[in-house]
Amino acid sequence: MELESILLPGIDAKRPLVIAGPCSAETEEQVMEAATCLARNGVKIFRAGIWKPRTKPGGFEGVGSDGLKWLKRVKAETGMYIATEVATAKHVFEALKYGVDMLWIGARTSANPFAVQEIADALVGVDIPILIKNPVNPDLDLWIGAIERIYNAGIKKIGAIHRGFSTFDKKIYRNLPQWHIPIELHRRIPNLPIICDPSHIGGKRELIAPISQQAMDLNFDGLIIESHCNPDKAWSDASQQVTPDVLELIVNNLVIREMNNQSTENLANLRKQIDEIDNDMLELLARRMRVSEEIGTYKKEHNMPILQEKRYDEILSKRIAQAEQMGMSSDFMKTVLVAIHEESVRHQMEIMKE
Ligand code: PEP
Ligand code: MN
């Protein structure tokens, strides 16, 4: 792809490029207050959602076009560039009418090729940066497809936003980072800037700093962070917004390691893979414990003892042999299996006590 820089005039090329602002524009006062503080803290691009895609009806669905007047005021009074999310051709036309400088396509929209094509058609002849969030589902081809639709409409200033992927089980993260997906995106389209959205990945404000640091360690180009002067009172995504001062602190504390050396980048990628595998391993172990508890309930109802020696011996010998075939030592596998078994027994004993 022949891409052009998404850096607008006056924005320096130093990492990270920071885009910040509230999840949603709520009132003119809230928008102006957040914008004034963010501008004072050095933010150059202000974000605010005007049309909000909500999971369920009845939530705050955004203020609509009225909010664009407030964004225009932000631009006039603070000098910041303004950015918002578009999901339809009408949103594109409205946003352009009010001088919005940068648009992004949200995760629910980029999962829908009809919607992305409609936006792409509306963008023909437009020359502003367009950022494309990953689709909600972990499908790299769908993400690249959305990027290609926008590129084919003649847009050259394109960036990707990594905002994580939804899962049924929401544990630590609101949206699982699955870092290998943006890493693979970078491998396939090396000149495409990637911006991390730690707010939507973490879903909690205390995760914003560590996720931002991980993104910087993986050589991401920028960050888009939700910021509100009174985060707990925000009308959407309250738990993941930070005040402009906290945002400044997070950005200033980032360690930016220069990655001009390919081997450092490879090492960071490999470590990320290890972290993800460990995470998966923990999830699997927790799942195994839950199944084991169900077995405990069954044994209790049928008056069976917890320890079923024959079954245990079978598991041990079968898995140790398998591990050896896979290049792991039998001692190591025995230690792991015994530890897992002990923990399972402990869970089943708790069930018996109930
Ligand atoms: C947002 O940026 O406020 C938003 C709705 O994000 P996403 O599309 O990533 O859910
Ligand atoms: Mn949000």
Side-chain angles (χ1 to χ4, degrees):
M1 277 187 186
E2 277 179 45
L3 297 172
E4 291 170 10
S5 170
I6 57 167
L7 297 176
L8 292 159
I11 298 202
D12 80 53
K14 181 165 123 289
R15 288 196 305 138
L17 167 72
V18 175
I19 303 172
C23 176
S24 304
E26 300 162 5
T27 64
E28 186 163 5
E29 295 66 40
Q30 168 253 2
V31 166
M32 292 313 299
E33 195 188 3
T36 311
C37 296
L38 288 166
R40 201 175 50 220
N41 291 352
V43 173
K44 300 272 174 28
I45 309 170
F46 183 76
R47 64 149 282 159
I50 297 291
W51 300 281
K52 301 301 299 178
R54 304 318 298 273
T55 302
K56 290 184 179 158
F60 172 59
E61 302 208 312
V63 292
S65 299
D66 277 350
L68 292 170
K69 296 183 194 130
W70 313 336
L71 292 191
K72 200 171 168 191
R73 207 182 135 200
V74 166
K75 187 168 165 173
E77 293 184 20
T78 69
M80 278 191 289
Y81 289 110
I82 51 176
T84 199
E85 172 175 344
V86 289
T88 66
K90 181 171 166 277
H91 294 167
V92 173
F93 299 136
E94 282 286 287
L96 294 175
K97 199 164 84 192
Y98 285 88
V100 174
D101 302 288
M102 196 182 252
L103 300 173
W104 80 83
I105 299 177
R108 291 157 194 79
T109 309
S110 60
N112 177 352
F114 288 134
V116 176
Q117 192 56 53
E118 178 187 320
I119 295 169
D121 294 343
L123 285 170
V124 171
V126 171
D127 185 28
I128 61 172
I130 308 294
L131 308 178
I132 299 142
K133 286 199 167 195
N134 64 260
V136 278
N137 51 324
D139 184 338
L140 178 60
D141 283 329
L142 193 58
W143 194 2
I144 293 178
I147 293 164
E148 284 174 353
R149 283 178 198 278
I150 299 302
Y151 182 74
N152 290 345
I155 304 288
K156 293 278 164 57
K157 301 184 171 96
I158 298 182
I161 301 178
H162 167 233
R163 51 78 79 196
F165 303 88
S166 47
T167 50
F168 180 66
D169 248 359
K170 301 214 184 321
K171 292 263 168 52
I172 305 172
Y173 299 105
R174 178 178 177 195
N175 292 293
L176 272 187
Q178 309 221 41
W179 295 100
H180 60 281
I181 296 178
I183 289 169
E184 178 60 15
L185 175 65
H186 175 63
R187 206 183 60 79
R188 299 232 207 134
I189 315 179
N191 52 345
L192 176 74
I194 307 185
I195 292 167
C196 177
D197 177 345
S199 311
H200 289 90
I201 291 176
K204 300 180 200 70
R205 53 186 76 112
E206 58 275 21
L207 289 179
I208 294 177
I211 296 169
S212 301
Q213 185 62 56
Q214 287 182 339
M216 288 303 103
D217 292 345
L218 287 169
N219 220 12
F220 276 49
D221 300 274
L223 298 167
I224 177 165
I225 301 180
E226 291 190 334
S227 177
H228 191 289
C229 292
N230 193 349
D232 288 327
K233 292 275 150 53
W235 297 1
S236 60
D237 289 350
S239 58
Q240 67 188 38
Q241 306 208 51
V242 289
T243 62
D245 285 347
V246 169
L247 178 112
E248 188 189 26
L249 206 69
I250 291 173
V251 173
N252 287 345
N253 280 323
L254 289 171
V255 180
I256 308 297
R257 299 177 176 92
E258 272 325 313
M259 296 262 195
N260 35 26
N261 163 344
Q262 186 67 31
S263 69
T264 326
E265 187 173 355
N266 288 345
L267 181 62
N269 290 351
L270 290 169
R271 289 196 169 137
K272 189 55 63 193
Q273 285 182 40
I274 291 281
D275 285 347
E276 272 183 15
I277 292 169
D278 286 351
N279 198 46
D280 290 349
M281 236 161 36
L282 259 74
E283 298 273 358
L284 274 177
L285 282 171
R287 218 169 93 200
R288 193 186 190 283
M289 293 306 154
R290 289 200 289 274
V291 174
S292 177
E293 285 166 10
E294 281 182 38
I295 294 178
T297 308
Y298 181 92
K299 286 177 182 166
K300 185 179 176 184
E301 285 167 354
H302 294 80
N303 262 330
M304 289 164 72
I306 289 182
L307 275 180
Q308 308 270 316
E309 243 139 33
K310 189 157 164 285
R311 164 83 179 139
Y312 181 41
D313 288 345
E314 266 170 27
I315 292 183
L316 274 186
S317 51
K318 185 169 145 208
R319 296 302 175 192
I320 288 173
Q322 188 186 358
E324 278 184 313
Q325 274 191 347
M326 295 164 90
M328 289 175 282
S329 77
S330 57
D331 280 353
F332 163 72
M333 194 38 56
K334 189 164 179 204
T335 312
V336 171
L337 290 170
V338 169
I340 293 175
H341 184 252
E342 274 175 20
E343 181 65 6
S344 279
V345 168
R346 197 181 65 72
H347 280 250
Q348 294 195 355
M349 280 179 10
E350 293 294 332
I351 300 277
M352 290 289 177
K353 274 197 269 173
E354 281 170 7

